Amino acid sequence: MTHKNKIDLNKQKLVLNMLGRLQKKDYSFSSGHILGSMCTQPHPIAKKAYNMFLETNLGDPKLFPGTKEIENRLLKFISDLLHSPKNATGHIVSGGTEGNITAMWMAKQLTHKKEIIIPSSAHFSFNKIASLMDMKLIQIPVTKNHYCMDVHETKKKIGNNTAAVVGIAGSTELGMIDPIPELSEICQEENIFLHVDAAFGGFVIPFLKKLNYDVPDFDFTLKGVSTITLDAHKMGYSAIPLGILMIREKKWLNEISVESPYISSRKQTGILGTRSGGPVAAAYAVIKYLGIEGYKKVVQQCMETTKYMEKRIIETGLQLVTKPKMNVLGIKLKHLNQVVNLLIKHGWRVNKIDHLSCIRIVVMPHVTKKIVDKFIPVLKKTCKKVGEI
Ligand code: 0PR
């Protein structure tokens, strides 16, 4: 080894050590102590594939035809998973936020209208949409017991200015599924654009169905559904950032495309320009590795752990906000801040939802029964201390 190479290596070591020290400040999924996040540790094969494609840029696809083919194959899998019709297409996005923005951009272009009808449980990305695109949000209350979009109220609010109706398949706060079949029927009747935000539920509900759980349809089998967004970096077990926006009619892409005169493709579609092929390769690798059967097992394990956790919580004397529909639990608490602060002191991260006076727990693959057994005694002790139970 030359002297110069030795100096280079030492320098790299110093920089990496410095990064490592900062990384130690982070919580890690592998510790099992992150209980409120909708992400998880990427599957090992996702990490390998991500690294292999670090230098690729799908914003200039003719330079990377192999990576582009991986993207097409990933879209084909999702297309089949969601029973897409022949004319459908897909568009890679960074996640639910970009998926929702892109879908609403398309709806606005297609309809030249500005009102979006959302359930009050919709993700805050819709507030960004309203501000970014000068659109107006019409909020529909959720039903008392099931926390789902009220169909009757939705129908009443559809009017001449409606650009789109949005239904949530796996809500951020409680994992509830809006009545997409009914919304689809209304939107088909009234010729209204219907977007389904399945950022969380897109990689859960299809497998719940295959496992014979009682969940409503939410995909393109429903004729009124226009677009669906789903995230591989949530329950898809893949790496951040990767979402997919599926679109019923390929021709709608024209509404969100611009000429790109000096880039290898004639047009560039969507919001982003340069975007990495790394997360695309990672998501496709996980899909190929796990397959439908693998995802079914992941979802089944998460659901069984959810059920176990529900039982342990109730035994503790606490209550849930509502019966879980998927792997998300809301635990009602009167002393919300005190409990959350004490849990953080003990190294546990949960998400606090003030307006429901509850903590949210997302039973991701890293939240195992063993983790539940470690967490419940801490939760119980904490709740006793503050007089919650
Ligand atoms: N739609 C729904 C239904 C969502 O739940 C989310 C995010 C989005 C859209 C936006 O997705 P991106 O954040 O990928 O753009 N839901 C999670 C939440 O707000 C995001 C998250 C994930 C937050 C991991 C924290 C965390 O550690 O809870």
Side-chain angles (χ1 to χ4, degrees):
M1 194 186 292
T2 66
H3 183 58
K4 188 177 170 304
N5 282 351
K6 221 171 174 179
I7 292 180
D8 276 356
L9 272 182
N10 279 338
K11 230 176 167 178
Q12 281 192 24
K13 229 182 186 171
L14 282 175
V15 173
L16 292 176
N17 283 344
M18 178 267 290
L19 295 185
R21 280 196 302 278
L22 290 172
Q23 194 176 38
K24 283 213 176 85
K25 294 187 176 186
D26 294 348
Y27 285 82
S28 68
F29 291 114
S30 60
S31 73
H33 281 224
I34 302 179
L35 297 183
S37 173
M38 285 190 162
C39 294
T40 192
Q41 200 180 34
H43 191 282
I45 202 159
K47 297 184 193 175
K48 290 183 185 156
Y50 201 116
N51 278 332
M52 271 173 79
F53 288 83
L54 266 189
E55 68 178 46
T56 61
N57 173 15
L58 283 164
D60 201 354
K62 297 236 162 88
L63 289 187
F64 304 100
T67 315
K68 182 68 194 160
E69 189 177 328
I70 295 171
E71 178 169 290
N72 291 343
R73 289 187 188 189
L74 168 64
L75 292 174
K76 171 80 173 80
F77 175 88
I78 301 296
S79 180
D80 292 344
L81 186 72
L82 300 182
H83 305 103
S84 306
K86 212 173 69 246
N87 291 338
T89 190
H91 176 66
I92 297 291
V93 287
S94 56
T97 302
E98 194 192 331
N100 288 337
I101 295 175
T102 312
M104 292 306 99
W105 179 17
M106 199 181 288
K108 190 182 179 198
Q109 296 288 97
L110 284 167
T111 62
H112 305 288
K113 293 175 182 172
K114 286 192 167 185
E115 283 184 6
I116 309 171
I117 301 178
I118 56 168
S120 59
S121 54
H123 185 255
F124 56 78
S125 47
F126 286 94
N127 295 337
K128 298 183 187 180
I129 290 165
S131 168
L132 267 172
M133 296 197 281
D134 188 29
M135 294 180 90
K136 187 177 163 199
L137 303 178
I138 314 259
Q139 282 208 6
I140 305 294
V142 290
T143 53
K144 264 210 173 109
N145 294 331
H146 300 291
Y147 295 86
C148 288
M149 191 172 194
D150 188 314
V151 179
H152 189 64
E153 288 298 313
T154 307
K155 198 167 179 177
K156 280 205 288 197
K157 288 289 188 313
I158 291 177
N160 288 335
N161 299 324
T162 309
V165 169
V166 176
I168 318 290
S171 64
T172 308
E173 292 171 343
L174 295 170
M176 293 294 116
I177 308 171
D178 285 334
I180 312 292
E182 287 86 340
L183 294 175
S184 164
E185 211 163 281
I186 295 170
C187 288
Q188 203 186 355
E189 237 167 59
E190 312 241 2
N191 199 18
I192 300 284
F193 192 102
L194 173 61
H195 172 60
V196 178
D197 180 353
F200 183 71
F203 274 90
V204 184
I205 304 168
F207 307 107
L208 285 178
K209 263 196 173 305
K210 291 182 202 295
L211 290 160
N212 295 325
Y213 278 78
D214 175 28
V215 282
D217 283 335
F218 79 109
D219 67 15
F220 291 114
T221 45
L222 304 168
K223 297 278 183 294
V225 170
S226 309
T227 45
I228 305 170
T229 201
L230 66 165
D231 284 351
H233 68 220
K234 294 191 170 81
M235 279 296 286
Y237 221 146
S238 193
I240 297 170
L242 206 278
I244 304 108
L245 175 68
M246 290 304 300
I247 302 159
R248 181 176 281 279
E249 291 285 345
K250 194 174 178 182
K251 62 180 185 220
W252 295 348
L253 279 184
N254 292 331
E255 306 294 332
I256 55 158
S257 300
V258 296
E259 295 296 325
S260 51
Y262 56 89
I263 287 181
S264 60
S265 55
R266 215 168 43 78
K267 280 188 167 182
Q268 196 172 72
T269 301
I271 295 167
L272 300 186
T274 298
R275 57 188 179 88
S276 173
V280 173
Y284 188 59
V286 180
I287 279 167
K288 282 306 279 183
Y289 186 86
L290 289 180
I292 299 283
E293 286 309 308
Y295 275 119
K296 263 168 70 180
K297 276 192 195 135
V298 171
V299 168
Q300 188 168 21
Q301 184 214 300
C302 291
M303 290 305 287
E304 277 167 12
T305 312
T306 305
K307 212 164 174 212
Y308 179 63
M309 193 160 202
E310 178 185 355
K311 180 175 147 270
R312 297 285 315 260
I313 288 165
I314 287 166
E315 280 168 7
T316 305
L318 292 164
Q319 274 183 3
L320 297 184
V321 177
T322 185
K323 188 113 189 110
K325 211 47 189 166
M326 44 179 89
N327 47 328
V328 183
L329 296 146
I331 308 175
K332 269 201 224 170
L333 291 168
K334 289 190 274 299
H335 306 83
L336 189 57
N337 286 329
Q338 281 168 282
V339 173
V340 170
N341 290 338
L342 280 173
L343 287 177
I344 291 176
K345 260 197 185 155
H346 286 100
W348 294 92
R349 301 295 312 199
V350 293
N351 285 40
K352 183 161 76 78
I353 303 176
D354 287 305
H355 78 102
L356 295 174
S357 195
C358 77
I359 52 174
R360 174 188 83 178
I361 293 186
V362 190
V363 185
M364 296 299 290
H366 63 270
V367 183
T368 56
K369 282 189 183 169
K370 251 190 190 163
I371 293 291
V372 176
D373 286 338
K374 277 191 188 167
F375 173 66
I376 293 292
V378 181
L379 178 70
K380 193 171 175 179
K381 214 166 124 189
T382 304
C383 286
K384 271 200 172 141
K385 193 166 178 181
V386 303
E388 184 78 41
I389 46 174

